[in-house]
């Protein structure tokens, strides 16, 4: 779909005329015939097989005793209960996140809200808070929240930025001309928002809502600490309660089907409607809407959300750190756990980046069915919760690679499967932003595909690839369910130690690990944010 007037240069009929709307178009990809050189295709295929391993496990394990046995498992009353609870929790959190995300995005981008930039930063900080840390903060302060209420509250407060960020970006890009036309025809501010502004935000809001729903369906930490049974907790309980892994695998299949249906439904709701402007020129920024009598309520709303999502968890951690004593505060153990966390996260980020590099380059520079399949295969792990991926790797290690069972390489491999999409997306974006003409010149001078990749493509895309590696490092540090099942005997990470201490009600002992996790995760997050401003 064209977003502006097509120039003669774009249609090939001549040179662009003065006054036409010239836009920077994406660089044309080389090799449009879809041929992928083996120097990229072979390592990308290895990454794809690695990412598809959990799906293969589910197919084998769930049907190990026959389809009838698996069907009996997924049609039990407990499975129906877990399904209802998971869907209900996801629907509640998505609805709450839509209200929070859309309202805060509109207030910080389209109104005369004082300190709008500061509020915008504050309401994105919950992304650095793991769900189980938020659950720990609320549960330790208000134990009565355990269950559905506490799970919904914790997950909402850490995931609403997934809606806020894309909606705020869409509001900044949207031309205000349609809203001004609606007001000139007699529509008030509220009706203009509902009938003109909100429909234009639907793709961004729907995309954020899907991310929230996937996050809730795959969450294990918050629901476990809140003692609320959903599919992820049910899978973990089934795994620990029996030597037969088929029930856990069968329940995992239901969760995978649920996520696939969710993603497909969101894609279908987008339809074929157009959301891009078709006129010439560029969209001008909207004039801030005066808040008037709504100024104080708007400030109170922003303050309440920031207090609940950021200030309260930090204050709770500060309280438990203050009441802890020498029996709960063990600097040597904390240092050892933090070192283990950094080491395993660094290993996971390194392996993920290496696997993602050929896939990201292929996705950015090549077309065709092979390139598409390799890219899509790399995203397979994104549809699976961490506990399912951990179960698949346990099965693989026990059956085919027993020396790896409960060893560090298996945990690092789980991180790579889980977070490969994060690194692939960053690599693809970085390669797309580097000019392909330099690669063409290198090939014309006799450089082979490997030398072009090593001497041209990778150096040009290095900043973006490094940013993806840093983001992968952060999410590896916070990962909980796969780490619980796959960590070597005797090794703890900050996440698993926090989970263990909180599970026994030792909140003062858990606080140092929670504080250290947030601090360590905040450093690369801050560097990423600073480099993107």
């Amino acid at each position: 779909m064209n977003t502006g007037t097509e120039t003669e240069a774009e249609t090939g009929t001549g040179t662009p005329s003065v006054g036409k709307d010239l836009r920077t178009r994406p660089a044309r990809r080389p090799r449009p015939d879809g041929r992928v050189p083996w120097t990229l295709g072979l390592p990308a295929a290895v990454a794809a097989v690695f990412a598809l391993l959990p799906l293969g496990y589910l197919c084998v394990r769930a049907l190990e005793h026959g389809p009838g046995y698996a069907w009996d498992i997924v049609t039990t009353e407990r499975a129906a209960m877990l399904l209802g609870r998971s869907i209900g929790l996801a629907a509640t959190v998505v609805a709450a996140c839509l209200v929070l995300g859309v309202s805060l995005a509109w207030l910080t981008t389209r109104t005369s809200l004082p300190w709008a930039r500061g509020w915008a930063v504050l309401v994105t900080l919950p992304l650095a808070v793991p769900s189980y840390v938020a659950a720990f903060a609320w549960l330790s302060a208000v134990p009565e929240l355990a269950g559905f209420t506490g799970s919904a509250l914790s997950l909402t407060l850490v995931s609403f930025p997934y809606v806020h960020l894309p909606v705020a970006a869409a509001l900044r890009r949207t031309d205000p001309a349609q809203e001004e036309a609606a007001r000139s025809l007699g529509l008030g501010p509220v009706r203009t928002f509902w009938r003109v502004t909100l429909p234009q935000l639907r793709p961004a809001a729907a995309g954020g809502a899907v991310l929230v729903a996937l996050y809730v369906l795959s969450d294990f930490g918050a629901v476990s600490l809140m003692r609320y049974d959903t599919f992820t907790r049910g899978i973990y309980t089934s795994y620990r309660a029996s030597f037969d892994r088929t029930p856990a695998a069968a329940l995992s299949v239901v969760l995978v089907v649920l996520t696939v249906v969710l993603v497909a439904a969101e894609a279908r709701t987008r339809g074929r409607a157009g959301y891009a402007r078709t006129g010439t020129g560029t969209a001008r920024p909207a004039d801030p809407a005066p808040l008037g009598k709504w100024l104080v309520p708007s400030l109170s709303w922003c303050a309440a959300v920031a207090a609940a999502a950021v200030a309260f968890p930090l204050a709770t951690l500060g309280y438990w750190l203050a009441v802890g004593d020498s029996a709960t505060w063990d600097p040597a153990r904390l240092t050892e756990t933090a070192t283990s966390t950094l080491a395993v996260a660094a290993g996971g980020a390194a392996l993920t980046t290496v696997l993602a590099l050929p896939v990201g380059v292929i996705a950015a520079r090549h077309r065709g069915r092979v390139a598409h399949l390799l890219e899509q295969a790399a995203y397979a792990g994104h549809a699976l919760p961490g506990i399912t991926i951990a179960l698949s790797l346990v099965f693989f290690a026990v059956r085919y690679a027993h020396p790896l069972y409960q060893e560090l390489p298996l945990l690092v491999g789980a991180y790579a499967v889980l977070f490969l999409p994060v690194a692939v997306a960053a690599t693809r974006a970085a390669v797309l932003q580097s000019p392909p003409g330099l690669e063409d010149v290198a090939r014309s001078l006799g450089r082979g595909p490997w030398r072009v990749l090593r001497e041209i493509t990778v150096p040009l895309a290095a900043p973006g690839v490094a940013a993806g590696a840093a983001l992968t490092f952060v999410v590896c540090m916070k990962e909980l369910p796969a780490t619980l099942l796959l960590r070597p005997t005797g090794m703890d990470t900050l996440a698993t130690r926090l989970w263990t201490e909180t599970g026994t009600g030792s909140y003062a002992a858990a606080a140092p690990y929670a504080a250290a996790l947030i601090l360590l995760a905040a450093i690369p997050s801050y560097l990423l944010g600073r480099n993107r401003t």
Side-chain angles (χ1 to χ4, degrees), residues 357-438:
L357 183 60
V359 181
V361 174
I362 289 173
R365 292 289 190 250
H366 298 273
R367 296 176 180 174
R369 182 174 299 179
V370 173
H372 178 72
L373 289 177
L374 289 173
E375 182 182 8
Q376 293 302 311
Y379 282 82
H382 191 63
L384 300 175
I387 192 168
T388 299
I389 291 177
L391 288 174
S392 69
L393 293 180
V394 167
F395 171 78
F396 172 78
V398 170
R399 292 288 183 92
Y400 307 108
H402 196 271
L404 294 178
Y405 181 64
Q406 286 195 322
E407 295 294 337
L408 196 60
L410 198 64
L411 178 57
V412 171
Y415 290 160
V417 176
L418 275 168
F419 306 120
L420 186 60
V422 176
V424 168
T427 301
R428 179 179 181 273
V431 175
L432 280 174
Q433 290 175 348
S434 58
L438 296 178

Side-chain angles (χ1 to χ4, degrees), residues 19-33:
K20 294 286 188 178
D21 181 24
L22 299 179
R23 280 176 167 73
T24 301
R25 301 179 68 83
R28 187 176 298 276
R29 296 181 183 178
R31 295 183 182 269
D33 57 358

Side-chain angles (χ1 to χ4, degrees), residues 106 110 171 174 179 191-202:
W106 185 75
R110 284 298 187 90
L171 280 170
T174 302
E179 301 168 27
R191 293 181 65 190
T192 297
F193 176 79
W194 282 103
R195 296 182 60 179
V196 179
T197 307
L198 195 58
Q200 297 182 77
L201 302 178
R202 189 178 71 172

Side-chain angles (χ1 to χ4, degrees), residues 102-166:
V102 174
S103 63
L104 291 169
W106 185 75
L107 285 172
T108 55
T109 61
R110 284 298 187 90
T111 71
S112 57
L113 183 75
W115 316 296
R117 287 192 176 184
W119 291 119
V121 171
L122 278 176
V123 297
T124 59
L125 289 180
L127 285 176
V129 181
S131 64
Y132 47 86
V133 172
F136 156 73
W138 287 98
L139 185 64
S140 62
V142 190
E144 295 78 10
L145 286 176
F148 175 83
T149 303
S151 300
L153 178 63
S154 303
L155 289 168
T156 297
L157 292 177
V158 300
S159 56
F160 76 86
Y162 289 116
V163 175
H164 167 262
L165 289 173

Side-chain angles (χ1 to χ4, degrees), residues 64-267:
E64 189 173 28
H65 301 303
Y69 184 76
W71 179 255
D72 290 340
I73 293 172
V74 300
T75 54
T76 60
E77 183 177 349
R78 174 169 172 76
M81 181 269 292
L82 294 176
L83 179 62
R85 286 190 167 196
S86 297
I87 294 177
L89 181 62
T92 301
V93 174
V94 166
C97 287
L98 285 171
V99 173
L100 290 172
V102 174
S103 63
L104 291 169
W106 185 75
L107 285 172
T108 55
T109 61
R110 284 298 187 90
T111 71
S112 57
L113 183 75
W115 316 296
R117 287 192 176 184
W119 291 119
V121 171
L122 278 176
V123 297
T124 59
L125 289 180
L127 285 176
V129 181
S131 64
Y132 47 86
V133 172
F136 156 73
W138 287 98
L139 185 64
S140 62
V142 190
E144 295 78 10
L145 286 176
F148 175 83
T149 303
S151 300
L153 178 63
S154 303
L155 289 168
T156 297
L157 292 177
V158 300
S159 56
F160 76 86
Y162 289 116
V163 175
H164 167 262
L165 289 173
V167 170
L171 280 170
R172 284 190 289 267
R173 294 193 305 264
T174 302
D175 195 326
Q178 295 185 32
E179 301 168 27
E180 294 169 356
R183 285 195 292 268
S184 69
L185 294 175
L187 294 182
V190 176
R191 293 181 65 190
T192 297
F193 176 79
W194 282 103
R195 296 182 60 179
V196 179
T197 307
L198 195 58
Q200 297 182 77
L201 302 178
R202 189 178 71 172
V210 168
L211 290 178
V212 171
L214 293 175
Y215 184 87
V216 174
L217 290 175
S218 64
D219 178 76
F220 173 78
V223 295
S224 294
L225 293 183
M226 289 292 179
R227 301 172 185 84
Y228 186 72
D229 284 334
T230 60
F231 258 112
T232 50
R233 192 164 188 247
I235 293 169
Y236 181 79
T237 302
S238 176
Y239 172 81
R240 288 297 191 187
S242 173
F243 288 105
D244 185 6
R245 308 303 186 212
T246 302
L251 292 175
S252 298
V253 170
V254 178
L255 190 57
V256 171
V257 171
L258 188 59
T259 58
V260 171
V261 170
L262 181 65
V263 173
E266 187 275 331

